[in-house]
Amino acid sequence: MLERPRTPERYARGFAAAVVAVATLLLAANAGPARAAEPPELRGVQFEVGRGGESP
């Protein structure tokens, strides 16, 4: 049968887990998004606005 861990051991494990969680959140927050690639050139591109109800 498994023994129940002592109270100081439980607190130590909980504290260690909290430290790891905070460190992980700090690293994730500081990572930031990756730089986006150059946007495609849109000069000369025209978009047609659809008109409701008309057939081609």
Side-chain angles (χ1 to χ4, degrees):
M1 187 175 210
L2 295 174
E3 286 185 38
R4 186 174 179 184
R6 294 185 310 174
T7 302
E9 291 175 357
R10 288 188 354 221
Y11 281 116
R13 286 183 186 175
F15 182 74
V19 168
V20 169
V22 169
T24 303
L25 289 172
L26 287 174
L27 288 173
N30 288 329
R35 291 184 181 232
E38 291 291 324
E41 187 66 37
L42 295 178
R43 282 192 196 143
V45 176
Q46 296 179 356
F47 295 98
E48 184 177 328
V49 178
R51 297 179 195 146
E54 290 186 16
S55 59

